[in-house]
Amino acid sequence: EALAINREVGNTVWMAVNLNNLGGNSQQIGTNSVARRYFEEALNLRRNVNDRQGIASSLLSLGIVYLELGDVERAAQALHESLQQSVAVGRRSYISEGLQKCGILALHKEDTVVATQLFAASTHLASQIDFLPTHLSQKRLERATTQARRILGDAEFEKAWNAGTALSQDKAVTLALQA
């Protein structure tokens, strides 16, 4: 209903917010192809009004949906652009989320050490800024770190985690953009 009203009055910014929310809801119930369409429409609207923070948000959401749909290349493009936009606008909570999502990307690419470092850097940044990721994001991180620990073993996982925690935000972003 809110989307229809915002379409009627031509409120592009709130249309994009509504679409992004619908995409998030679709993603939570597992309808990723529907979520993708909502996020892509929101992204187009946000690009049209040059809403850089909104662009970062939509790209972040799209990146993980692309991963879940098996499109690793598009996921990488979306996640990397999202992270760059997040840095440009100084949105540290999005940077934290972007590091985590790039870690999941690295895990898909079988670079488990980098993935673990990014998970640690993301978690460390979130704690520094008192940012609490969404429940869905926390569950994704739990699954990913469990998988990484299983692949690396406890000692190597801890070594990679400690290295990630020690990264500066800039170094973590650089690492993520290479994932």
Side-chain angles (χ1 to χ4, degrees):
E1 196 171 318
L3 178 59
I5 292 168
N6 285 311
R7 281 191 202 277
E8 187 177 317
V9 299
N11 190 332
T12 303
V13 172
W14 280 102
M15 284 170 32
V17 169
N18 296 149
L19 288 163
N20 227 57
N21 288 340
L22 288 168
N25 291 340
S26 297
Q27 189 179 25
Q28 286 184 3
I29 62 172
T31 54
N32 287 314
S33 59
V34 173
R36 184 193 76 232
R37 287 193 301 271
Y38 284 129
F39 290 139
E40 286 173 345
E41 188 176 350
L43 176 61
N44 287 334
L45 291 171
R46 287 170 161 173
R47 285 194 195 282
N48 287 340
V49 296
N50 197 30
D51 174 6
R52 293 177 73 190
Q53 188 168 297
I55 291 167
S57 173
S58 291
L59 285 167
L60 188 59
S61 299
L62 262 174
I64 202 68
V65 166
Y66 287 145
L67 266 182
E68 291 174 357
L69 291 171
D71 193 340
V72 176
E73 185 176 317
R74 285 179 83 185
Q77 291 170 350
L79 292 172
H80 292 164
E81 185 183 347
S82 172
L83 197 51
Q84 290 165 330
Q85 291 280 351
S86 299
V87 169
V89 297
R91 187 72 188 254
R92 295 183 80 199
S93 59
Y94 288 6
I95 295 168
S96 175
E97 284 286 308
L99 294 173
Q100 182 199 113
K101 303 305 185 273
C102 286
I104 294 171
L105 175 66
L107 197 56
H108 276 355
K109 292 181 172 185
E110 299 181 3
D111 195 345
T112 311
V113 170
V114 167
T116 303
Q117 291 172 341
L118 291 173
F119 298 149
S122 168
T123 302
H124 183 66
L125 176 57
S127 71
Q128 286 180 324
I129 61 173
D130 291 325
F131 171 63
L132 183 62
T134 65
H135 178 73
L136 183 59
S137 186
Q138 290 175 20
K139 287 295 181 191
R140 260 194 215 103
L141 179 61
E142 255 177 51
R143 284 191 305 272
T145 55
T146 298
Q147 181 181 352
R149 185 181 290 277
R150 188 175 57 249
I151 292 167
L152 293 176
D154 288 338
E156 287 302 310
F157 178 87
E158 291 301 324
K159 181 178 174 185
W161 187 272
N162 291 337
T165 300
L167 290 173
S168 68
Q169 178 180 299
D170 289 344
K171 288 186 179 182
V173 167
T174 299
L175 182 63
L177 293 174
Q178 296 168 356

